[in-house]
Amino acid sequence: TGVLVCSFTVLSVHGMYSASDDVIELNPSNFNREVLQSDSLWLVEFYAPCRMWLFLFGIVKVGAVDADQHKSLGGQYGVRGFPTIKIFGANKHKPEEFQGGRSSQAIVDAALNSLRSIVKDRLSGKTGGSDHSRQSSGGSSGGNKNDVIELTDDNFDQMVLNSDDVWLVEFFAPWCGHCKNLEPEWTAAASQVKEQTNGRVKLGTVDATVHQGLASRYGIRGFPTIKIFRKGEEPEDYQGGRTRSDLVARALDLYSDNAPPPELLEILNQDILKKTCEDHQLCVIAVLPHILDTGAAGRNGYLEVMMKMAEKYKKKMWGWLWTEAGAQMELESSLGIGGFGYPAMAAINSRKMKFALLKGSFSETGIHEFLRDLSVGRGSTSTVGGGALPKIHTVEAWDGKDGVLPVEDDIDLSDVDLDDLEKDEL
């Protein structure tokens, strides 16, 4: 059978679902067991308590994740808005995001199509059901072993202690059964963490039977032992679970705690807009008044508000950009800003070519409300004009100074005979 995960309007004292709903409440402690190690197809909705009716068929299972309460699990699967529905089919570690309508028929059709695909694969001889065993045996969906960095007595100080990155280091022994069980989880987690933190959190291993100096230095007495290393701090014992989801969740927390605020970039050319918007789930763009209208102090005030918001929302890993009014008219036109109402702000999802406009004030409060609504899937969106990122003109960077009015050419009137101007011409 398959599994469908969704939310109901039925409320109980424990959450969005009552015991009679046949909807399985999922959380970090049961997700691996219920979903990833299951032979069933799952459609999983990551939601913030909201309402959606679904008519369920007995051929699929139903589960739900309260992503407000279990942020680590939502983050692991890239959940940015609510409700989000994911289909966990044959490959549980690469779920498919449901992009259809939110009607009961559309969701049921998607579940049945996924089931047909699984049956077709099984009839053609492809392995079906859970891919947990393939992950454990080092299959491609279990991560890339090259993402786990081998650490030694010789390279440990340079790679770990002198690094600005955060490290999770496993001390193991080759004969240790628990270490062998951890290996596929560690490898899968290493690949996911590398991708989701842009390599800023790393997973490494130390063979403590070979590199006994390191084992002695850090008081290793049992295997596996996992320690967290952050530059300038004493190593910390890892106390969490040992599934890939547990490891990834802890790594993302460490990344968020240590990540600097995103850089606020001026849109100077096409590459800056393209890279920022394509490399991030959302890019937040401000169009600020002309420098002659605000002066340097006024502009810096707006930029300071943006930087505070970038710091506040740094865990979202969004991109942040700004431009001066009139400098990028094609961009303004594509976002419906249209030459007035500055400062203005828009948030673009370049994958869907959708954007939302700030309707409230350009202030910490107004922008926070705008971005908070986007975070939970509220607010109206529109299609970017032309369906693609607009043309960007190459401009000079702001020099940080007040604007200067253009100098008008002086007109020399010394050679003009003013008497001639008084004569009438026929």
Side-chain angles (χ1 to χ4, degrees), residues 18 216 219 309 411:
S18 68
S216 176
M309 291 297 100
I411 301 175

Side-chain angles (χ1 to χ4, degrees), residues 2 4 108-109 116 148 153 158 171 190 205 218 221 228 233 247 280 308 311 316 328 334 352 406:
L4 176 66
V108 169
D109 286 346
R116 292 189 190 101
V148 177
D153 285 324
Q158 180 60 37
F171 294 82
T205 57
Y218 294 109
R221 295 290 181 266
I228 299 168
E233 299 182 21
L247 295 165
H280 299 86
K308 287 182 178 178
E311 168 69 29
K316 299 293 186 181
Q328 306 294 347
S334 70
K352 298 180 179 180

Side-chain angles (χ1 to χ4, degrees), residues 33-342:
R33 180 183 70 255
E34 293 283 356
V35 178
L36 302 186
Q37 297 184 31
S38 166
D39 286 332
S40 300
L41 170 73
W42 282 83
L43 270 68
V44 178
E45 179 190 16
F46 294 80
Y47 70 94
C50 57
R51 299 184 175 188
M52 176 173 54
W53 280 101
L54 295 177
F55 297 95
L56 305 178
F57 291 82
I59 58 173
V60 295
K61 290 184 178 179
V62 179
V65 177
D66 184 339
D68 269 353
Q69 182 177 353
H70 306 296
K71 292 183 173 63
S72 62
L73 199 52
Q76 181 178 342
Y77 291 101
V79 175
R80 296 291 182 267
F82 308 109
T84 292
I85 300 174
K86 289 184 180 283
I87 302 171
F88 288 74
N91 186 345
K92 294 295 190 295
H93 297 283
K94 290 187 177 180
E96 171 191 353
E97 185 160 347
F98 173 68
Q99 301 282 7
R102 290 309 195 256
S103 68
S104 59
Q105 188 63 54
I107 295 173
V108 169
D109 286 346
L112 294 177
N113 287 336
S114 297
L115 285 171
R116 292 189 190 101
S117 179
I118 290 174
V119 172
K120 183 178 179 181
D121 286 346
R122 291 178 180 177
L123 289 174
S124 65
K126 295 181 181 179
T127 304
S130 170
D131 59 354
H132 179 72
S133 61
R134 297 196 301 277
Q135 297 257 353
S136 299
S137 62
S140 60
S141 58
N144 187 336
K145 289 186 176 181
N146 292 330
D147 293 332
V148 177
I149 300 170
E150 183 179 353
L151 299 167
T152 68
D153 285 324
D154 294 331
N155 69 11
F156 190 89
D157 287 7
Q158 180 60 37
M159 296 194 71
V160 178
L161 302 186
N162 295 335
S163 171
D164 291 327
D165 300 326
V166 179
W167 284 79
L168 277 75
V169 178
E170 176 204 359
F171 294 82
F172 73 96
W175 45 260
C176 163
H178 291 302
C179 301
K180 293 176 182 177
N181 292 334
L182 176 60
E183 182 180 2
E185 302 298 309
W186 194 257
T187 301
S191 295
Q192 292 183 37
V193 169
K194 179 181 179 181
E195 179 181 357
Q196 295 185 43
T197 69
N198 297 316
R200 298 305 304 273
V201 179
K202 294 180 169 62
L203 273 66
T205 57
V206 174
D207 185 340
T209 65
V210 175
H211 307 289
Q212 296 180 13
L214 285 173
S216 176
R217 188 198 305 184
Y218 294 109
I220 306 302
R221 295 290 181 266
F223 307 109
T225 292
I226 301 172
K227 287 186 176 288
I228 299 168
F229 291 85
R230 286 178 275 198
K231 190 172 185 179
E233 299 182 21
E234 289 296 314
E236 169 191 346
D237 287 333
Y238 171 79
Q239 304 288 357
R242 293 179 180 176
T243 67
R244 67 198 70 189
S245 60
D246 293 326
L247 295 165
V248 170
R250 183 69 176 111
L252 293 179
D253 285 342
L254 290 166
Y255 174 73
S256 298
D257 291 342
N258 291 272
E263 190 175 5
L264 175 57
L265 300 174
E266 183 179 3
I267 302 175
L268 303 177
N269 53 56
Q270 192 80 43
D271 288 343
I272 290 176
L273 178 71
K274 185 174 186 294
K275 179 172 176 56
T276 303
C277 289
E278 291 183 356
D279 286 356
H280 299 86
Q281 177 79 10
L282 290 179
C283 53
V284 181
I285 301 176
V287 182
L288 303 182
H290 195 280
I291 192 64
L292 292 176
D293 294 328
T294 64
R299 174 168 292 181
N300 282 326
Y302 290 130
L303 294 176
E304 182 179 354
V305 169
M306 287 195 71
M307 288 187 285
K308 287 182 178 178
M309 291 297 100
E311 168 69 29
K312 186 178 187 69
Y313 284 89
K314 69 177 183 180
K315 292 185 179 181
K316 299 293 186 181
M317 292 180 278
W318 294 337
W320 296 78
L321 300 167
W322 72 277
T323 185
E324 180 179 78
Q328 306 294 347
M329 291 305 298
E330 287 88 346
L331 175 62
E332 292 187 38
S333 176
S334 70
L335 300 177
I337 292 174
F340 63 91
Y342 305 114

Side-chain angles (χ1 to χ4, degrees), residues 80-81 282 318 347 356 369-378 381:
R80 296 291 182 267
L282 290 179
W318 294 337
E369 292 175 353
F370 170 59
L371 298 179
R372 182 192 60 198
D373 286 349
L374 289 180
S375 298
V376 297
R378 293 200 297 262
T381 61

